Amino acid sequence: MTVATRPGGRRAHARTDATGAASTALRRMLESPRRPARVLAAFPSGIYLEVRTELEPHVVALVTESATRLPNSMVVTGTMPQVAVGDEAHVGDGSIEVGRLSLRARRWWNPAPVLGPVDPVRLAAALPAMTELCDRSARRPGLEGNGAADLLSEGCAQASLVRGVMAAEQLVGLGPGLTPSGDDMLAGLLVALRHLGAAAGVPRAVWLAGWLAAAVTFDARGRTTPISATLLHCAARGEASGEVLAVLRGLAGRQALDPALHRLLRLGHTSGADLAWGLRIGLAAVVSLGGGAG
């Protein structure tokens, strides 16, 4: 702990210096000049800061080790500072200052690791397994039965930009909460198309991911919540939480799928199920576009 003092030796305030493990998605923001920010939301396991900048991600998450490691987060060891929504903060010049805490990145982690080559036959076999696990789960997507979700699935399987973009436009910001269900589904889809498409050698899936990403991130700040807009920008670059990345590894045969999918489905009220639904649509599209639907 460092103690700041005024001239004359009078105590001004104490600031706690700490370090954390930061997503590489935050590197540009942290290395940029110091900017003002404000506390957007505060929970025991995480604090969300909205930075006054045009850079993405413009929302930075500070999370505990037990919380979901979001792609725009720094994982902090120890107790979160006591702050309230609207409190001032600062981000940049190598640190994050919020409350009496001054954080610096001690190490970095990659929210978009390369999956590596995957046999399309393996992905085709993983699709019914994932479908069965999702259908059996008591955790249901927030937009189950929504027509736009069905249109999105059909459009992606056919690499139809018209259908895909039309459905995506309807889903952005749809649903309640800090991360609406429509956004979570789209985030899962974008990550699946990009990573699985690249791993299985299906360029049309990666091409589709690029176009859909452009559609859902255009003016995202004006169409959904600040936190969700940031996560859509992250997903557009293939960046995802640890739980989502674990499911991708499970689909690729790098680890067991069942426990990874169960961990994802337990996230939030419907967020995990919404993300899983998006991953499932993306997986089905990669299999279809790669010629493995039959």
Side-chain angles (χ1 to χ4, degrees):
M1 177 179 289
T2 59
V3 178
T5 58
R6 293 189 179 94
R10 288 187 301 154
R11 183 187 177 107
H13 62 82
R15 173 169 292 160
T16 301
D17 293 323
T19 59
S23 164
T24 53
L26 300 179
R27 186 185 290 273
R28 185 181 175 195
M29 177 76 72
L30 287 174
E31 294 178 349
S32 296
R34 188 170 183 263
R35 291 179 170 86
R38 71 182 182 96
V39 176
L40 194 62
F43 307 98
S45 60
I47 296 171
Y48 295 87
L49 305 177
E50 185 174 26
V51 188
R52 296 172 195 167
T53 177
E54 291 303 312
L55 295 175
E56 288 291 349
H58 75 286
V59 172
V60 175
L62 305 179
V63 299
T64 63
E65 293 177 304
S66 62
T68 298
R69 183 179 291 198
L70 296 171
N72 60 325
S73 67
M74 180 184 286
V75 182
V76 182
T77 302
T79 306
M80 286 289 176
Q82 296 296 311
V83 295
V85 173
D87 283 357
E88 294 183 355
H90 290 88
V91 177
D93 286 343
S95 70
I96 298 173
E97 297 176 2
V98 56
R100 293 187 174 182
L101 188 65
S102 179
L103 277 167
R104 289 185 176 271
R106 176 174 55 86
R107 60 186 178 87
W108 301 88
W109 52 274
N110 184 4
V114 176
L115 194 56
V118 176
D119 189 340
V121 174
R122 176 177 287 279
L123 293 184
L127 179 56
M130 183 175 187
T131 299
E132 181 183 0
L133 288 168
C134 288
D135 288 346
R136 287 205 325 253
S137 175
R139 306 301 293 269
R140 309 311 304 168
L143 298 179
E144 191 169 30
N146 183 277
D150 293 335
L151 180 63
L152 182 68
S153 180
E154 294 170 5
C156 289
Q158 300 166 8
S160 169
L161 276 182
V162 173
R163 288 186 177 188
V165 170
M166 183 183 302
E169 292 286 350
Q170 295 178 48
L171 290 167
V172 173
L174 187 60
L178 293 175
T179 59
S181 290
D183 296 343
D184 284 331
M185 183 193 305
L186 289 168
L189 169 64
L190 293 177
V191 170
L193 286 174
R194 189 169 297 280
H195 284 281
L196 297 179
V202 184
R204 281 207 298 169
V206 180
W207 168 83
L208 182 61
W211 279 101
L212 289 177
V216 303
T217 57
F218 176 74
D219 194 29
R221 295 192 198 185
R223 296 190 290 168
T224 188
T225 67
I227 294 173
S228 202
T230 287
L231 292 176
L232 283 175
H233 277 277
C234 288
R237 297 188 295 268
E239 299 163 355
S241 68
E243 290 81 359
V244 169
L245 295 174
V247 172
L248 291 178
R249 290 193 297 270
L251 295 173
R254 309 283 194 266
Q255 66 179 74
L257 175 61
D258 290 31
L261 187 54
H262 287 311
R263 283 195 299 272
L264 175 63
L265 288 168
R266 287 196 295 267
L267 292 184
H269 183 58
T270 66
S271 284
D274 295 325
L275 285 163
W277 195 2
L279 289 172
R280 179 174 160 183
I281 293 173
L283 171 62
V286 171
V287 170
S288 177
L289 297 176

